[in-house]
Each structure stands twice: as C-alpha cells, then as structure tokens.
Amino acid sequence: MEQYAIKGGNPLVGEVEIGGAKNAALAILAASVMTDETVVIENMPDVRDTNVLLQAIESIGGIVERIDRHTVRINGSQIHNLVIDGDYIKKIRASYYLLGALLGKYKKAEVALPGGCNIGSRPIDQHIKGFRALGANVNIAHGLIHAEAERLLGSHIYMDVVTVGATINVMMAAVMAEGQTIIENAAKEPHVVDLANFLNSMGANIKGAGTDVIRIRGVARLHKTEYTIIPDQIEAGTFMFAAAVTKGDITVKNVIPKHLESISAKLLEIGCEVEESDDAVRVVASKRLSHTHVKTLPYPGFPTDMQPQIAVALGLSNGTSIVTESIFENRFKYVDELTRMGASIKVESNTAIIDGVDRYTGASITAPDLRAGAALVLAGLAAEGFTTIDEIRYIERGYEDFPQKLQSLGAQIELVDTDKELQKFKLRVG
Ligand code: EPZ
C-alpha cells in the first residue's frame, strides 16, 4: 500500500510555488458547462478531486481537453445526460456542484445524495432550500436528489448558516434565472469570489461576492471565457505552518497575501516572523513557539481547513493552547494519531486542549482525511525518527506533488509502495 515515509528533524528552508485553489477549481469546473461555448481554465491544480470532477463532466457528455497539467478546455454543448453517476459523488462530494450548474442551465439535474464524510455529517439542506426558493421542485428518493423547474425565478434567499457549498450551488442555479436573486448570509471565501468572477467573465451579472449579500441578475445565456484560478490559500497555509513546526524558513510564492491574513496573524501570534510581498509570504520560525487560542470561523476568520495544521504546531509550543472547531462536528480525528507521536491533547466536544510538548517522535500513523493527513505530514517532518503515513490518497485529493514540494525544501520524505522501498528509504537517509 502506498505510504509516505518521513525522516523528521530537518528545518525546511526555501521557496515553494503554490498551485491553483482546489475549492475554487471545483466550483469553476462545474460552472464551465453552463455555456455551449468553449471555456479555457488555467492554473487548475492537478489533484485527485479536480481530475474526478473532470471525469464526471465527461460522463454526461461534456467535452474535456487537457491542454497541460494545469490547463483544460471544456465545452458543455454536447451534454446529453443530466444524471450524475453516484460513483462520482462517492469520490468527491463537490460533484454536487453540477446540480446547481445543470439546474441553472437545463432547469433539470439529478445527482446522488452525498453522504457524510470523516469530518462531519455535511447536510445539504441549504442547497435544497435555495433551489426551491428559485422555483425548482427538489425531491430526494432512493438516495438521489432530483431538481427540476419549468422556470427559475429570482428570489431573496437567507442562508440559515454560512455555507460555502450552498452559496456556490445557489449562485450557479440563479445566474440564468429570470429576475434578481439576493443571497443573504452568503459565504465570503476567496473561492466564492473566484466563481463569481469566473461567471461574470462568461456574461453573468453577479455583485457583492465576498460580502454577505450577493445580488444576481439573471441573464439569458453565458458565453466563452478564458480564466485563471486563484492560488490555493490552504496549500499556502499548510507550507507556512511547515516552516513553523520544523523551525524553518519558507517563502510561499504565487499567493494572494490578503487571503492568508488570518493564517499570518496566528503565525505572528505564536512567535514566527512573517514577511509579506506582492505575491509571496515568508515565514521564519527560529525560536520555540508560544501557545495561543484559535477558533475556526468562516472567511475571513481562521479557516477550518487549517485547524489540524495549527494544532500540530501548538502541540510543540510552550504552554497550553485551545483550538475550537466551530464549523464541523468531527474534525479532531487526527488527535489520536498525533498522540501516538507524543502529543498531549484532550478533546472535549468541539474543543481541543493542547499542552505543548518538547518533541514529537516518529510513528506509523494513518491519515483520517485530507487536511488532517497534511497536518500529520507536518508532524512527521518535525518528529525525531521515522514516520510512515497510510491512506495518503486523502492527501492527494488536495495537494499536488506534496512530497516533491517538501523535498525541494529539504524534507526527507518519499512515497513508498512496498516494505522493500521503505527499508531502502531508511537505509538511504540513515
Ligand atoms: C467547503 O465545504 C470546502 N469544500 C471544505 O473544504 C471547507 O472545509 C468548507 O467549505 C468550509 O470552509 C469545498 O469547497 C469543496 P460548508 P462545504 O457548506 O461547502 C453546514 C477541504 O479540505 N451546512 O461551508 O461542504 C455544514 O454542516 C474541504 O478542501 C449546513 O448545515 O462546507 C458545516 O457545519 C473539507 N447545511 C457548515 O455549514 C448545508 O446545506 C459549513 O459547511 C450546508 C452546510
């Protein structure tokens, strides 16, 4: 079984190019089928999730041409099937973005109901509420969501919770509805703004993305565009915390520093030096980190997708830290694994109480989900001795060339597939 093998203890030093944002790419790829003209998307991350969504688009008749790893040309004019096969939803929940896109374009769509996942139950009631507000009949039967409308009419929709997925899905369903749609209590994440900018480049009329009130005036059709996806704030944040946990010096390049403000603020708070330039951020961690309190919140608050990474850093800080997860109900599954590396963490409902320890020691551990898996890699890089991490397929969902990028910063990490390869790695790095 494929694993990451890690020999910890090296401070990571150097520069790393950050790729396109996975969570922007998933929304934009889905939205690209809303025109019958050709769309070219650049800076798309070459990760499992985007590749699965491209397969889903092809499965319903979309024409997908891969220009290169990070550039794809899509044409939605030949779509003949409005039912997304359940396998795609099982592989990535975000396949449900095709519901909003196909409903918005064809007034009809069907996808399998996405199940929960390792970080929580992940309901989609707000997505359904938005579609119904626009005039769609939405039925759930036999594990499928079927949405259909004679006409989609603009509506005033108030989200009961701040939800990225529902804001994105409803935005897509509304861009070609008749009249004005207002989405109140909308998510403000950079990927929501990126989708709105993408749709506007196709002729949509969306205002207010990035605020909690998004106003959409429906248009009759959307047209071709060429669009470059924003950099991934969570990939960038993960490398920034790699500097923190290994007492390194890492510059993340090709980023938008504004998107990283809450991450930079926490790194400063725990004792790192942070230097921002136009499209790069440098993080230097020379001394032992300090404890702090952090609560995950919707953007621009501290991202839930960075919660495991900061917990790993706080596990090595002096003093006691508190991490509160306010978005998902089960996002501390990595704590058991981190405890096996010597961490001292107590989880009480949605709060982790972290007593900093002097060091982690390497162990054989398992990635429980995407971001926790990446955080456990950081722990392995900081730990004394060897760490192996199983279930790395989770990590490959959202991080392109993760071992290679870490190696370029001086990390001793390799993807190994057999015990023999693991032994060779151990002999080589000593
Ligand atoms: C998106 O998930 C991201 N995924 C997640 O990133 C991210 O953690 C999350 O937003 C929060 O930022 C993608 O963009 C593909 P939500 P999403 O709807 O849209 C509740 C990663 O690591 N809720 O903002 O599913 C929900 O239970 C992934 O890249 C409802 O109650 O998140 C949660 O408590 C992991 N009803 C809260 O809202 C709904 O209809 C936020 O969820 C929808 C959501």
Side-chain angles (χ1 to χ4, degrees), residues 292-334:
T292 189
H293 290 190
V294 59
K295 178 173 184 177
T296 64
L297 287 169
Y299 190 86
F302 191 84
T304 175
D305 292 348
M306 285 298 302
Q307 182 259 91
Q309 296 91 317
I310 194 169
V312 165
L314 295 174
L316 290 171
S317 305
N318 67 1
T320 299
S321 299
I322 309 275
V323 175
T324 304
E325 172 56 58
S326 74
I327 308 291
F328 292 113
E329 67 268 28
N330 188 18
R331 201 161 198 174
F332 287 119
K333 287 182 75 171
Y334 61 89

mmCIF file of all heavy atoms in Angstrom, residues 292-334:
data_model
loop_
_atom_site.group_PDB
_atom_site.id
_atom_site.type_symbol
_atom_site.label_atom_id
_atom_site.label_comp_id
_atom_site.label_asym_id
_atom_site.label_seq_id
_atom_site.Cartn_x
_atom_site.Cartn_y
_atom_site.Cartn_z
ATOM 1 N N THR A 292 -1.408 29.662 22.107
ATOM 2 C CA THR A 292 -2.434 30.669 21.787
ATOM 3 C C THR A 292 -3.804 30.001 21.791
ATOM 4 O O THR A 292 -3.901 28.800 22.030
ATOM 5 C CB THR A 292 -2.175 31.315 20.407
ATOM 6 O OG1 THR A 292 -3.079 32.424 20.242
ATOM 7 C CG2 THR A 292 -2.436 30.326 19.275
ATOM 8 N N HIS A 293 -4.828 30.802 21.564
ATOM 9 C CA HIS A 293 -6.179 30.255 21.391
ATOM 10 C C HIS A 293 -6.584 30.496 19.945
ATOM 11 O O HIS A 293 -6.234 31.545 19.373
ATOM 12 C CB HIS A 293 -7.188 30.979 22.307
ATOM 13 C CG HIS A 293 -7.008 30.675 23.751
ATOM 14 N ND1 HIS A 293 -7.905 31.034 24.726
ATOM 15 C CD2 HIS A 293 -6.009 30.007 24.409
ATOM 16 C CE1 HIS A 293 -7.474 30.608 25.903
ATOM 17 N NE2 HIS A 293 -6.325 29.986 25.743
ATOM 18 N N VAL A 294 -7.286 29.553 19.330
ATOM 19 C CA VAL A 294 -7.766 29.783 17.956
ATOM 20 C C VAL A 294 -9.133 29.129 17.806
ATOM 21 O O VAL A 294 -9.400 28.069 18.364
ATOM 22 C CB VAL A 294 -6.761 29.235 16.912
ATOM 23 C CG1 VAL A 294 -6.525 27.751 17.067
ATOM 24 C CG2 VAL A 294 -7.226 29.564 15.504
ATOM 25 N N LYS A 295 -10.010 29.835 17.081
ATOM 26 C CA LYS A 295 -11.358 29.302 16.824
ATOM 27 C C LYS A 295 -11.573 29.373 15.318
ATOM 28 O O LYS A 295 -11.347 30.425 14.689
ATOM 29 C CB LYS A 295 -12.403 30.159 17.550
ATOM 30 C CG LYS A 295 -13.838 29.717 17.319
ATOM 31 C CD LYS A 295 -14.800 30.500 18.191
ATOM 32 C CE LYS A 295 -16.233 29.969 18.013
ATOM 33 N NZ LYS A 295 -17.190 30.663 18.895
ATOM 34 N N THR A 296 -11.980 28.271 14.707
ATOM 35 C CA THR A 296 -12.203 28.301 13.256
ATOM 36 C C THR A 296 -13.532 29.008 12.974
ATOM 37 O O THR A 296 -14.517 28.823 13.685
ATOM 38 C CB THR A 296 -12.254 26.872 12.670
ATOM 39 O OG1 THR A 296 -13.393 26.185 13.213
ATOM 40 C CG2 THR A 296 -10.991 26.106 13.001
ATOM 41 N N LEU A 297 -13.511 29.820 11.912
ATOM 42 C CA LEU A 297 -14.690 30.608 11.543
ATOM 43 C C LEU A 297 -14.763 30.722 10.025
ATOM 44 O O LEU A 297 -13.742 30.536 9.341
ATOM 45 C CB LEU A 297 -14.566 32.022 12.151
ATOM 46 C CG LEU A 297 -14.785 32.135 13.670
ATOM 47 C CD1 LEU A 297 -14.363 33.520 14.150
ATOM 48 C CD2 LEU A 297 -16.232 31.826 14.042
ATOM 49 N N PRO A 298 -15.927 31.046 9.495
ATOM 50 C CA PRO A 298 -15.989 31.333 8.052
ATOM 51 C C PRO A 298 -15.049 32.483 7.709
ATOM 52 O O PRO A 298 -14.692 33.293 8.573
ATOM 53 C CB PRO A 298 -17.456 31.739 7.832
ATOM 54 C CG PRO A 298 -18.200 31.126 8.981
ATOM 55 C CD PRO A 298 -17.255 31.135 10.136
ATOM 56 N N TYR A 299 -14.607 32.537 6.457
ATOM 57 C CA TYR A 299 -13.731 33.622 5.983
ATOM 58 C C TYR A 299 -14.363 34.970 6.298
ATOM 59 O O TYR A 299 -15.578 35.132 6.148
ATOM 60 C CB TYR A 299 -13.539 33.478 4.467
ATOM 61 C CG TYR A 299 -12.461 34.385 3.909
ATOM 62 C CD1 TYR A 299 -11.127 33.988 3.902
ATOM 63 C CD2 TYR A 299 -12.779 35.631 3.408
ATOM 64 C CE1 TYR A 299 -10.137 34.811 3.397
ATOM 65 C CE2 TYR A 299 -11.800 36.462 2.903
ATOM 66 C CZ TYR A 299 -10.476 36.058 2.902
ATOM 67 O OH TYR A 299 -9.501 36.869 2.417
ATOM 68 N N PRO A 300 -13.566 35.928 6.770
ATOM 69 C CA PRO A 300 -12.103 35.971 6.878
ATOM 70 C C PRO A 300 -11.549 35.457 8.198
ATOM 71 O O PRO A 300 -10.393 35.723 8.510
ATOM 72 C CB PRO A 300 -11.818 37.473 6.744
ATOM 73 C CG PRO A 300 -13.001 38.132 7.410
ATOM 74 C CD PRO A 300 -14.182 37.248 7.114
ATOM 75 N N GLY A 301 -12.305 34.662 8.936
ATOM 76 C CA GLY A 301 -11.784 34.070 10.168
ATOM 77 C C GLY A 301 -10.773 32.978 9.855
ATOM 78 O O GLY A 301 -10.494 32.678 8.703
ATOM 79 N N PHE A 302 -10.242 32.368 10.913
ATOM 80 C CA PHE A 302 -9.226 31.321 10.716
ATOM 81 C C PHE A 302 -9.888 30.095 10.079
ATOM 82 O O PHE A 302 -10.875 29.590 10.604
ATOM 83 C CB PHE A 302 -8.577 30.939 12.044
ATOM 84 C CG PHE A 302 -7.370 30.079 11.876
ATOM 85 C CD1 PHE A 302 -6.129 30.646 11.620
ATOM 86 C CD2 PHE A 302 -7.465 28.688 11.919
ATOM 87 C CE1 PHE A 302 -4.998 29.845 11.426
ATOM 88 C CE2 PHE A 302 -6.348 27.882 11.727
ATOM 89 C CZ PHE A 302 -5.116 28.458 11.472
ATOM 90 N N PRO A 303 -9.369 29.609 8.948
ATOM 91 C CA PRO A 303 -10.080 28.561 8.201
ATOM 92 C C PRO A 303 -10.118 27.212 8.910
ATOM 93 O O PRO A 303 -9.095 26.753 9.438
ATOM 94 C CB PRO A 303 -9.261 28.427 6.912
ATOM 95 C CG PRO A 303 -8.267 29.523 6.903
ATOM 96 C CD PRO A 303 -8.102 30.005 8.295
ATOM 97 N N THR A 304 -11.258 26.556 8.865
ATOM 98 C CA THR A 304 -11.362 25.206 9.424
ATOM 99 C C THR A 304 -10.388 24.263 8.715
ATOM 100 O O THR A 304 -9.866 23.319 9.330
ATOM 101 C CB THR A 304 -12.797 24.673 9.321
ATOM 102 O OG1 THR A 304 -12.834 23.315 9.762
ATOM 103 C CG2 THR A 304 -13.353 24.755 7.913
ATOM 104 N N ASP A 305 -10.087 24.529 7.439
ATOM 105 C CA ASP A 305 -9.180 23.645 6.694
ATOM 106 C C ASP A 305 -7.734 23.800 7.138
ATOM 107 O O ASP A 305 -6.864 23.071 6.663
ATOM 108 C CB ASP A 305 -9.282 23.914 5.185
ATOM 109 C CG ASP A 305 -10.625 23.479 4.649
ATOM 110 O OD1 ASP A 305 -11.362 22.775 5.375
ATOM 111 O OD2 ASP A 305 -10.957 23.849 3.518
ATOM 112 N N MET A 306 -7.491 24.768 8.061
ATOM 113 C CA MET A 306 -6.148 24.922 8.620
ATOM 114 C C MET A 306 -6.106 24.492 10.086
ATOM 115 O O MET A 306 -5.073 24.617 10.756
ATOM 116 C CB MET A 306 -5.703 26.385 8.504
ATOM 117 C CG MET A 306 -5.309 26.805 7.098
ATOM 118 S SD MET A 306 -3.887 25.879 6.467
ATOM 119 C CE MET A 306 -2.662 26.250 7.710
ATOM 120 N N GLN A 307 -7.208 23.972 10.594
ATOM 121 C CA GLN A 307 -7.285 23.645 12.032
ATOM 122 C C GLN A 307 -6.320 22.535 12.428
ATOM 123 O O GLN A 307 -5.550 22.678 13.397
ATOM 124 C CB GLN A 307 -8.739 23.291 12.378
ATOM 125 C CG GLN A 307 -9.027 22.963 13.829
ATOM 126 C CD GLN A 307 -9.138 21.475 14.062
ATOM 127 O OE1 GLN A 307 -8.150 20.826 14.367
ATOM 128 N NE2 GLN A 307 -10.332 20.947 13.940
ATOM 129 N N PRO A 308 -6.250 21.409 11.665
ATOM 130 C CA PRO A 308 -5.271 20.381 12.065
ATOM 131 C C PRO A 308 -3.827 20.872 12.005
ATOM 132 O O PRO A 308 -3.009 20.538 12.859
ATOM 133 C CB PRO A 308 -5.524 19.251 11.063
ATOM 134 C CG PRO A 308 -6.895 19.487 10.528
ATOM 135 C CD PRO A 308 -7.081 20.968 10.537
ATOM 136 N N GLN A 309 -3.527 21.721 11.031
ATOM 137 C CA GLN A 309 -2.146 22.196 10.859
ATOM 138 C C GLN A 309 -1.721 23.073 12.039
ATOM 139 O O GLN A 309 -0.626 22.918 12.572
ATOM 140 C CB GLN A 309 -2.002 22.993 9.546
ATOM 141 C CG GLN A 309 -2.251 22.180 8.274
ATOM 142 C CD GLN A 309 -3.689 22.210 7.818
ATOM 143 O OE1 GLN A 309 -4.608 22.087 8.638
ATOM 144 N NE2 GLN A 309 -3.929 22.335 6.508
ATOM 145 N N ILE A 310 -2.596 23.996 12.480
ATOM 146 C CA ILE A 310 -2.187 24.833 13.624
ATOM 147 C C ILE A 310 -2.143 24.005 14.904
ATOM 148 O O ILE A 310 -1.283 24.239 15.760
ATOM 149 C CB ILE A 310 -3.103 26.069 13.782
ATOM 150 C CG1 ILE A 310 -2.437 27.081 14.745
ATOM 151 C CG2 ILE A 310 -4.518 25.709 14.266
ATOM 152 C CD1 ILE A 310 -3.097 28.451 14.785
ATOM 153 N N ALA A 311 -2.991 22.986 14.992
ATOM 154 C CA ALA A 311 -2.963 22.138 16.205
ATOM 155 C C ALA A 311 -1.629 21.407 16.300
ATOM 156 O O ALA A 311 -1.052 21.272 17.388
ATOM 157 C CB ALA A 311 -4.118 21.142 16.174
ATOM 158 N N VAL A 312 -1.103 20.958 15.171
ATOM 159 C CA VAL A 312 0.205 20.269 15.174
ATOM 160 C C VAL A 312 1.288 21.235 15.664
ATOM 161 O O VAL A 312 2.137 20.881 16.483
ATOM 162 C CB VAL A 312 0.542 19.727 13.771
ATOM 163 C CG1 VAL A 312 2.011 19.343 13.651
ATOM 164 C CG2 VAL A 312 -0.345 18.534 13.440
ATOM 165 N N ALA A 313 1.212 22.477 15.207
ATOM 166 C CA ALA A 313 2.217 23.472 15.632
ATOM 167 C C ALA A 313 2.060 23.786 17.119
ATOM 168 O O ALA A 313 3.042 23.832 17.872
ATOM 169 C CB ALA A 313 2.063 24.743 14.800
ATOM 170 N N LEU A 314 0.821 23.926 17.586
ATOM 171 C CA LEU A 314 0.588 24.257 19.000
ATOM 172 C C LEU A 314 0.972 23.085 19.893
ATOM 173 O O LEU A 314 1.337 23.273 21.056
ATOM 174 C CB LEU A 314 -0.877 24.660 19.214
ATOM 175 C CG LEU A 314 -1.292 25.951 18.495
ATOM 176 C CD1 LEU A 314 -2.789 26.191 18.643
ATOM 177 C CD2 LEU A 314 -0.485 27.137 18.997
ATOM 178 N N GLY A 315 0.931 21.877 19.339
ATOM 179 C CA GLY A 315 1.337 20.698 20.126
ATOM 180 C C GLY A 315 2.801 20.720 20.482
ATOM 181 O O GLY A 315 3.241 20.032 21.406
ATOM 182 N N LEU A 316 3.577 21.560 19.761
ATOM 183 C CA LEU A 316 5.024 21.692 20.043
ATOM 184 C C LEU A 316 5.340 23.028 20.705
ATOM 185 O O LEU A 316 6.509 23.368 20.902
ATOM 186 C CB LEU A 316 5.817 21.570 18.740
ATOM 187 C CG LEU A 316 5.846 20.183 18.089
ATOM 188 C CD1 LEU A 316 6.469 20.248 16.697
ATOM 189 C CD2 LEU A 316 6.605 19.178 18.969
ATOM 190 N N SER A 317 4.305 23.814 20.975
ATOM 191 C CA SER A 317 4.552 25.149 21.551
ATOM 192 C C SER A 317 4.634 25.056 23.065
ATOM 193 O O SER A 317 4.148 24.086 23.652
ATOM 194 C CB SER A 317 3.399 26.098 21.184
ATOM 195 O OG SER A 317 3.247 26.118 19.800
ATOM 196 N N ASN A 318 5.214 26.097 23.688
ATOM 197 C CA ASN A 318 5.229 26.027 25.165
ATOM 198 C C ASN A 318 3.896 26.544 25.689
ATOM 199 O O ASN A 318 3.267 27.406 25.080
ATOM 200 C CB ASN A 318 6.431 26.773 25.742
ATOM 201 C CG ASN A 318 6.308 28.269 25.483
ATOM 202 O OD1 ASN A 318 5.334 28.722 24.891
ATOM 203 N ND2 ASN A 318 7.308 29.009 25.914
ATOM 204 N N GLY A 319 3.441 25.947 26.786
ATOM 205 C CA GLY A 319 2.176 26.358 27.378
ATOM 206 C C GLY A 319 0.992 25.577 26.825
ATOM 207 O O GLY A 319 1.139 24.675 26.004
ATOM 208 N N THR A 320 -0.186 25.997 27.277
ATOM 209 C CA THR A 320 -1.428 25.300 26.906
ATOM 210 C C THR A 320 -2.218 26.136 25.909
ATOM 211 O O THR A 320 -2.422 27.334 26.130
ATOM 212 C CB THR A 320 -2.278 25.046 28.173
ATOM 213 O OG1 THR A 320 -1.516 24.222 29.055
ATOM 214 C CG2 THR A 320 -3.591 24.333 27.818
ATOM 215 N N SER A 321 -2.614 25.499 24.809
ATOM 216 C CA SER A 321 -3.401 26.190 23.767
ATOM 217 C C SER A 321 -4.797 25.585 23.706
ATOM 218 O O SER A 321 -5.002 24.431 24.103
ATOM 219 C CB SER A 321 -2.704 26.035 22.407
ATOM 220 O OG SER A 321 -1.418 26.618 22.437
ATOM 221 N N ILE A 322 -5.715 26.396 23.173
ATOM 222 C CA ILE A 322 -7.101 25.916 22.974
ATOM 223 C C ILE A 322 -7.456 26.073 21.498
ATOM 224 O O ILE A 322 -7.268 27.166 20.936
ATOM 225 C CB ILE A 322 -8.098 26.767 23.797
ATOM 226 C CG1 ILE A 322 -7.672 26.874 25.262
ATOM 227 C CG2 ILE A 322 -9.512 26.233 23.638
ATOM 228 C CD1 ILE A 322 -8.099 25.769 26.160
ATOM 229 N N VAL A 323 -7.903 24.991 20.881
ATOM 230 C CA VAL A 323 -8.370 25.058 19.491
ATOM 231 C C VAL A 323 -9.860 24.707 19.475
ATOM 232 O O VAL A 323 -10.252 23.628 19.935
ATOM 233 C CB VAL A 323 -7.593 24.075 18.587
ATOM 234 C CG1 VAL A 323 -8.160 24.071 17.169
ATOM 235 C CG2 VAL A 323 -6.098 24.440 18.556
ATOM 236 N N THR A 324 -10.677 25.629 18.988
ATOM 237 C CA THR A 324 -12.120 25.387 18.926
ATOM 238 C C THR A 324 -12.551 25.271 17.473
ATOM 239 O O THR A 324 -12.276 26.178 16.678
ATOM 240 C CB THR A 324 -12.877 26.549 19.606
ATOM 241 O OG1 THR A 324 -12.388 26.683 20.950
ATOM 242 C CG2 THR A 324 -14.379 26.277 19.641
ATOM 243 N N GLU A 325 -13.190 24.155 17.139
ATOM 244 C CA GLU A 325 -13.654 23.888 15.763
ATOM 245 C C GLU A 325 -15.140 24.223 15.707
ATOM 246 O O GLU A 325 -15.976 23.477 16.215
ATOM 247 C CB GLU A 325 -13.399 22.424 15.403
ATOM 248 C CG GLU A 325 -14.011 21.986 14.071
ATOM 249 C CD GLU A 325 -13.571 22.825 12.890
ATOM 250 O OE1 GLU A 325 -12.347 22.896 12.640
ATOM 251 O OE2 GLU A 325 -14.442 23.442 12.247
ATOM 252 N N SER A 326 -15.466 25.358 15.075
ATOM 253 C CA SER A 326 -16.869 25.799 15.110
ATOM 254 C C SER A 326 -17.622 25.449 13.832
ATOM 255 O O SER A 326 -18.824 25.700 13.729
ATOM 256 C CB SER A 326 -16.929 27.322 15.331
ATOM 257 O OG SER A 326 -16.557 27.978 14.142
ATOM 258 N N ILE A 327 -16.944 24.884 12.837
ATOM 259 C CA ILE A 327 -17.613 24.619 11.548
ATOM 260 C C ILE A 327 -18.085 23.173 11.449
ATOM 261 O O ILE A 327 -19.232 22.897 11.119
ATOM 262 C CB ILE A 327 -16.660 24.947 10.369
ATOM 263 C CG1 ILE A 327 -16.082 26.352 10.492
ATOM 264 C CG2 ILE A 327 -17.379 24.718 9.046
ATOM 265 C CD1 ILE A 327 -17.060 27.476 10.285
ATOM 266 N N PHE A 328 -17.209 22.222 11.714
ATOM 267 C CA PHE A 328 -17.569 20.799 11.576
ATOM 268 C C PHE A 328 -17.538 20.105 12.922
ATOM 269 O O PHE A 328 -16.784 20.488 13.816
ATOM 270 C CB PHE A 328 -16.606 20.102 10.598
ATOM 271 C CG PHE A 328 -16.777 20.569 9.182
ATOM 272 C CD1 PHE A 328 -15.781 21.293 8.553
ATOM 273 C CD2 PHE A 328 -17.946 20.307 8.492
ATOM 274 C CE1 PHE A 328 -15.945 21.751 7.256
ATOM 275 C CE2 PHE A 328 -18.116 20.767 7.190
ATOM 276 C CZ PHE A 328 -17.115 21.474 6.579
ATOM 277 N N GLU A 329 -18.357 19.034 13.026
ATOM 278 C CA GLU A 329 -18.519 18.417 14.347
ATOM 279 C C GLU A 329 -17.550 17.282 14.618
ATOM 280 O O GLU A 329 -17.513 16.735 15.695
ATOM 281 C CB GLU A 329 -19.962 17.902 14.518
ATOM 282 C CG GLU A 329 -20.367 16.741 13.620
ATOM 283 C CD GLU A 329 -21.015 17.216 12.321
ATOM 284 O OE1 GLU A 329 -20.690 18.333 11.873
ATOM 285 O OE2 GLU A 329 -21.800 16.453 11.766
ATOM 286 N N ASN A 330 -16.717 16.936 13.643
ATOM 287 C CA ASN A 330 -15.862 15.773 13.899
ATOM 288 C C ASN A 330 -14.499 15.943 13.254
ATOM 289 O O ASN A 330 -14.057 15.117 12.466
ATOM 290 C CB ASN A 330 -16.576 14.520 13.343
ATOM 291 C CG ASN A 330 -15.827 13.261 13.741
ATOM 292 O OD1 ASN A 330 -15.020 13.292 14.674
ATOM 293 N ND2 ASN A 330 -16.055 12.182 13.030
ATOM 294 N N ARG A 331 -13.851 17.048 13.536
ATOM 295 C CA ARG A 331 -12.628 17.368 12.800
ATOM 296 C C ARG A 331 -11.372 17.229 13.685
ATOM 297 O O ARG A 331 -10.365 17.872 13.447
ATOM 298 C CB ARG A 331 -12.727 18.771 12.194
ATOM 299 C CG ARG A 331 -11.767 18.918 11.045
ATOM 300 C CD ARG A 331 -12.054 20.034 10.085
ATOM 301 N NE ARG A 331 -11.327 19.758 8.851
ATOM 302 C CZ ARG A 331 -11.428 20.477 7.743
ATOM 303 N NH1 ARG A 331 -12.215 21.541 7.712
ATOM 304 N NH2 ARG A 331 -10.755 20.148 6.661
ATOM 305 N N PHE A 332 -11.478 16.364 14.719
ATOM 306 C CA PHE A 332 -10.307 16.131 15.570
ATOM 307 C C PHE A 332 -9.832 14.688 15.488
ATOM 308 O O PHE A 332 -9.106 14.215 16.372
ATOM 309 C CB PHE A 332 -10.637 16.468 17.028
ATOM 310 C CG PHE A 332 -10.750 17.948 17.303
ATOM 311 C CD1 PHE A 332 -11.944 18.487 17.760
ATOM 312 C CD2 PHE A 332 -9.661 18.804 17.104
ATOM 313 C CE1 PHE A 332 -12.049 19.847 18.018
ATOM 314 C CE2 PHE A 332 -9.768 20.160 17.365
ATOM 315 C CZ PHE A 332 -10.970 20.690 17.822
ATOM 316 N N LYS A 333 -10.207 13.984 14.403
ATOM 317 C CA LYS A 333 -9.865 12.559 14.342
ATOM 318 C C LYS A 333 -8.350 12.358 14.320
ATOM 319 O O LYS A 333 -7.854 11.311 14.687
ATOM 320 C CB LYS A 333 -10.503 11.916 13.103
ATOM 321 C CG LYS A 333 -12.011 11.733 13.261
ATOM 322 C CD LYS A 333 -12.621 11.058 12.070
ATOM 323 C CE LYS A 333 -12.318 9.569 12.041
ATOM 324 N NZ LYS A 333 -13.106 8.885 10.996
ATOM 325 N N TYR A 334 -7.593 13.353 13.899
ATOM 326 C CA TYR A 334 -6.134 13.206 13.823
ATOM 327 C C TYR A 334 -5.491 13.183 15.207
ATOM 328 O O TYR A 334 -4.324 12.805 15.359
ATOM 329 C CB TYR A 334 -5.530 14.370 13.016
ATOM 330 C CG TYR A 334 -5.796 15.714 13.643
ATOM 331 C CD1 TYR A 334 -4.912 16.244 14.575
ATOM 332 C CD2 TYR A 334 -6.968 16.410 13.369
ATOM 333 C CE1 TYR A 334 -5.177 17.453 15.202
ATOM 334 C CE2 TYR A 334 -7.245 17.616 13.994
ATOM 335 C CZ TYR A 334 -6.360 18.139 14.910
ATOM 336 O OH TYR A 334 -6.644 19.325 15.532
#
